[in-house]
Amino acid sequence: MSTQNHGSTVDDGWSRNYEGELRSEQNYVDGLYERFDAERSRLGTRYRAALRGDGGTLLDRDAEVRALAGQMHRWNVADHGLCFGRLDGNSGERRYVGRIGIFDEDDDYEPLLLDWRAPAARPFYVATGANPEDMRRRRQFRSLGRRLVEFTDEVFGSPDGAGDGAGPSSDAALLAAVNAPRGEGMRDIVATIQAEQDEIIRLDHPGVLVIEGGPGTGKTVVALHRVAYLLYTQRKRMESRGVLVVGPNADFLDHIGRVLPSLGETNVVFTTVGDLVPHLNISAEDTPEAAAAKGASSILAVLERAVADRTRVPETPVPIDLSDVSVRIDAETAEWAIQEARASGRPHNEARAVFIDVVTWVVTERAIAKIGRGWLTRDDRAAWEHLRADLLDELVDHAGFNTALDELWPVLTPEGLLAELYSSPERLHAAGAHASLWRAEGDAWTVSDVPLLDELVDLLGRDRSGEEAAERERQERAAYAAGVLDLMVDREDLMDDEDQLLARDVIDAESLAERFLERDSRDLAERAAADRDWTYGHVVVDEAQELSAMDWRVLMRRCPSRSFTIVGDPAQRRSAAGTRSWEDALAPYVPGRWKHRALTVNYRTPAEIMAVAGALLAEFAPGVQPPESVRSSGFRPWSRLVTDEQLAGAIDEFVAQEAAREGTSVVIGPPGVPGAVPPSATKGLEFDAVLVVAPERILAEGPRGAADLYVALTRATQRLGVLHREPLAESLAGLDLVQAG
C-alpha cells in the first residue's frame, strides 16, 4: 500500500478534493452530534425525573436510577471520538462506525451511526484486499474533540490499496496510535482494532476463553474490548451481576482502569488476588517454597485436617454442676457428638449446632435420670419433658457448660485458624503441612494466604446471628408499620362514599416499612467489591500464568456460570506456584469446554528491542515463538558497563534525558538499585523508554530470573538502555547491543 502526504502542494487538485471530502464528512459528523446532544438531553431529563420519582418500590426506583445513570455514562464518554470511520459497500451504501449507535427515528430507525460492536460494523475491522467482505472502501477518521482533523482511505481491490484521490491510505491510523507517546494509562483501541483481535473480541463462546500472546500483542486491551462486546450483546445477563477484572498489582489495574469506562462500561470491579478477601492487610511475602506449598491443591487436605484438629474429646470427664444435680461430659459422649456433627455435612461452625444438640441431649438425659431416680419413669412423658425444659433454660447461661462446649468444639474464624496454624509447629505437623509454612507472626498475611482464607470461609461456615438479627429487625419494622396503618384507618372518618380511599388502599405495611430502610446508594461495583459472596456475570484474569491452583478455585467461586476471559503468556511466568498448563488449570472446572486463541503480532515493542528480548527468550524458552513486531522505532538498544560509583550518575543521566522528551519512562532493576522498580511491578505496563539496570542480578535472583528480565526488556515502546556492573551473562553476551558512552 502507498501513503500520500495530503499536506503537500504537489497535486493541488488532489488537495482540493481532499479538503472538500473532509468538509463533507465534518458536516455529517456535526449532524450526528446534534442528534447525540438531543438524546443525551432526553436521558438527563429522565434521570432527574427518576431521582425525584416516588412511584413503585424503593428497589424498583433504585434500579431505574442506576440503569439511567449507566446509559448517561455511556453517552457522555462517547462524546470524544463519537465517529471514527466509514465503510463504503460495493452496492453504494455507506455505514458510519462509532462508539455508540444513533438511529433516524423519522426513517424507520435507519442507522446513522453503527455501534462498533454491531455485526454490521465488523467489516470495518476485518475487511482486507483478499477478503473485502463486500466492501469497496474503509475510511478512518482522526478527530480532535468534535472536529475531524484528517482521514485515511483504503480501497479494496486497488493494486496498492490507495484511495481514489480522496486521502492517504494504508495502516496510518494504527501506526499513529502505536507510535504515539504513552500517557498515564492504557487507551482503548476501538478505532484501530485489527482483524486477529476482532476475531477474538467477537468470538461467540459463552464459557472460558484463553487469550495467549507475547509482549505487546494487545491481549489485555483485547480482553477488555471483549468485555465491552459481551456487555453489548448479552447486557441483560451480565450487567446485573457486573464484571470482575483481576490483575497482578495495583499499578497495572490503574494502567488499564480507563479502558472499560472509556467504552461506556462502569459495572466493573478491578482487583488483585490479594484483595479478594475484603479488608485483609497484606504485609509479608512468602518464600518460593511456601508459595508453592500454599498454591498446590494438596493444601486443601491440610486445611481440612487443621479444622478437624480443633475439635477434641476430654481427657478426663468434664463435670457440669447444675442446681439439683451434677453430671459429666465424658469422652464417649464427645466422640459421639463429633461423629454426628461431621456426618451432617455442614461447615464446621454450622455443624457445631449438631454437636451441641447431641451433648445437650446426653447431659439432660443423665440429669433427669438422676433427679427422677425412684419416682420418675420415661412413661411419664409430660413430667420428663417439663424437667428437660427447666434444664435447658439453666444450660443456656451455664458458664461451665458453655466453656466446655467452646473447648470441645470451638467457633473458628479463617484468620484465627490460619494464624494459629502457621505459628505452631505442632499444629502444622498434625495437619500434615509443609514445614516452610511456619512463621513467628501467624497473622503476617501474604498474597498466597488469600485463597486459603477464602477456602476456610466455606469450610468453617458463617456466623448467622447477624443475619437473623437483621431479619428480626425487618419483621419488627413491618409489625410497627402495620400498627401505624391500623391507627390511620381507625381515625378516618368513614363515610358512605363508596369511592373514598382508605390508607390501606394507598400503601401497604411492607411499603411503609420500606420507608424506614436506609437507602444503599453505592453503585454495583462498590457493592460487589465489599461482598465476598458476590458472584459476577463475567471475570477477566490478566497475567493468568501467575495463578496457582488455589487462586483458580477462588476465582471460579466468583463466577458459577464459568464465563471467563483469561489472558496470559507462559513465557513470563515467575511464580513457583503459577500455571504451567492451561489444560491442567481449567480441566477441574470446564473439562474440554474452553477455547484457546493466540495473538502473534506485536504492536507495542519495536523490532529493534524485540530482537534483544527474542534472543533471551530463545535461551530460556527455546520452544516459544516471539511475537512479530509490526514496526521499527529507529532507536537501537544500547548497553553500558559501569562501576558501582558510576551507576547512580548513569541512572540520573537517563532520567534527565527522558524528562526532556515527551512520553513516559521507567528504571527497572533488582532490589537496592536507587530509583528502580522491580520487573514484577511493571508486568502489563508500557513506557516510551526503559532503562534496565543490573540484568545479571535479575537473572541470578528469584525463582524466574530469566522471565523477569524478559518482562523488563519488553516494556519499552521506543527506547531501551541497559546498565550492567558485571560482564553480561552468557545468555545476554550474544545480544546485539550498541555500546554507549
Side-chain angles (χ1 to χ4, degrees), residues 140-220:
Q140 293 177 280
F141 300 149
R142 187 169 74 85
S143 59
L144 184 62
R146 294 188 170 193
R147 181 172 64 87
L148 294 188
V149 176
E150 65 177 3
F151 64 83
T152 59
D153 273 352
E154 183 177 359
V155 178
F156 306 116
S158 175
D160 60 358
D164 54 3
S169 62
S170 83
D171 296 324
L174 172 64
L175 293 176
V178 297
N179 281 316
R182 265 42 191 175
E184 294 182 356
M186 180 179 283
R187 296 163 293 192
D188 68 62
I189 59 169
V190 64
T192 58
I193 294 170
Q194 301 302 291
E196 71 167 0
Q197 297 171 332
D198 186 79
E199 186 223 341
I200 295 172
I201 290 170
R202 298 175 190 268
L203 185 65
D204 185 18
H205 179 63
V208 175
L209 172 65
V210 175
I211 305 174
E212 185 175 324
T217 53
K219 52 189 181 293
T220 297

Side-chain angles (χ1 to χ4, degrees), residues 464-524:
R464 301 295 179 184
S465 58
E467 296 175 10
E468 293 168 358
E471 176 59 21
R472 286 195 299 271
E473 183 181 354
R474 189 197 67 79
Q475 292 175 357
E476 290 170 1
R477 282 197 304 267
Y480 173 76
V484 171
L485 280 177
D486 288 339
L487 185 62
M488 293 169 63
V489 171
D490 289 342
R491 290 186 176 183
E492 284 175 333
D493 184 15
L494 298 181
M495 301 175 65
D496 294 335
D497 189 346
E498 295 178 356
D499 297 327
Q500 178 164 350
L501 289 176
L502 303 182
R504 292 189 188 279
D505 297 319
V506 179
I507 188 170
D508 59 21
E510 287 291 330
S511 298
L512 185 59
E514 188 184 71
R515 303 293 178 91
F516 294 94
L517 289 174
E518 181 179 352
R519 178 174 176 178
D520 187 350
S521 60
R522 297 175 300 171
D523 61 24
L524 182 143

Side-chain angles (χ1 to χ4, degrees), residues 651-731:
I651 293 175
D652 290 343
E653 180 184 346
F654 167 82
V655 172
Q657 288 176 346
E658 291 303 327
R661 288 172 160 151
E662 186 181 6
T664 60
S665 63
V666 69
V667 178
I668 304 176
V673 173
V677 297
S680 59
T682 65
K683 296 194 76 170
L685 306 182
E686 55 185 31
F687 307 87
D688 291 276
V690 171
L691 179 67
V692 178
V693 181
E696 66 280 0
R697 281 184 53 195
I698 297 176
L699 280 172
E701 295 180 9
R704 292 279 295 179
D708 275 352
L709 184 55
Y710 182 61
V711 169
L713 293 174
T714 54
R715 297 307 94 195
T717 65
Q718 301 290 339
R719 299 172 295 279
L720 171 67
V722 176
L723 297 177
H724 51 105
R725 293 188 292 181
E726 301 174 10
L728 290 174
E730 183 177 347
S731 58

Side-chain angles (χ1 to χ4, degrees), residues 94-365:
R94 290 181 176 179
R95 307 176 192 172
Y96 285 85
V97 180
R99 290 182 176 273
I100 58 174
I102 296 179
F103 301 89
D104 188 347
E105 299 178 7
D106 300 326
D107 188 14
D108 293 330
Y109 285 88
E110 279 295 309
L112 302 173
L113 181 68
L114 288 172
D115 190 300
W116 67 273
R117 295 163 289 194
R122 184 173 178 271
F124 186 78
Y125 300 110
V126 303
T128 64
N131 185 17
E133 299 275 337
D134 202 30
M135 292 293 122
R136 185 178 68 85
R137 173 168 50 193
R138 170 169 47 226
R139 173 169 289 181
Q140 293 177 280
F141 300 149
R142 187 169 74 85
S143 59
L144 184 62
R146 294 188 170 193
R147 181 172 64 87
L148 294 188
V149 176
E150 65 177 3
F151 64 83
T152 59
D153 273 352
E154 183 177 359
V155 178
F156 306 116
S158 175
D160 60 358
D164 54 3
S169 62
S170 83
D171 296 324
L174 172 64
L175 293 176
V178 297
N179 281 316
R182 265 42 191 175
E184 294 182 356
M186 180 179 283
R187 296 163 293 192
D188 68 62
I189 59 169
V190 64
T192 58
I193 294 170
Q194 301 302 291
E196 71 167 0
Q197 297 171 332
D198 186 79
E199 186 223 341
I200 295 172
I201 290 170
R202 298 175 190 268
L203 185 65
D204 185 18
H205 179 63
V208 175
L209 172 65
V210 175
I211 305 174
E212 185 175 324
T217 53
K219 52 189 181 293
T220 297
V221 74
V222 166
L224 296 175
H225 282 68
R226 174 167 171 77
V227 170
Y229 175 76
L230 292 175
L231 283 166
Y232 175 79
T233 57
Q234 305 175 31
R235 187 168 298 279
K236 185 176 181 180
R237 179 181 73 83
M238 289 179 55
E239 189 174 46
S240 62
R241 300 308 304 171
V243 174
L244 177 66
V245 177
V246 181
N249 54 59
D251 287 340
F252 173 82
L253 294 175
D254 287 343
H255 179 64
I256 70 171
R258 301 177 184 180
V259 174
L260 282 170
S262 75
L263 296 173
E265 307 301 345
T266 57
N267 289 344
V268 183
V269 174
F270 294 88
T271 187
T272 66
V273 172
D275 292 326
L276 284 172
V277 173
H279 314 302
L280 190 72
N281 179 32
I282 304 297
S283 61
E285 186 173 351
D286 280 313
T287 64
E289 294 78 14
K294 292 177 182 180
S297 57
S298 56
I299 197 71
L300 288 169
V302 172
L303 297 178
E304 291 171 355
R305 289 191 291 265
V307 173
D309 185 53
R310 299 305 300 273
T311 60
R312 68 180 187 86
V313 298
E315 296 180 0
T316 58
V318 180
I320 305 297
D321 296 323
L322 302 170
S323 56
D324 296 322
V325 69
S326 179
V327 293
R328 302 184 305 175
I329 302 175
D330 54 24
E332 183 180 9
T333 298
E335 286 177 352
W336 177 34
I338 289 172
Q339 290 174 2
E340 291 295 320
R342 289 177 178 168
S344 71
R346 301 180 189 177
H348 172 88
N349 290 335
E350 296 175 19
R352 186 174 188 265
V354 178
F355 174 84
I356 292 174
D357 285 346
V358 173
V359 173
T360 301
W361 185 86
V362 172
V363 167
T364 55
E365 284 291 302

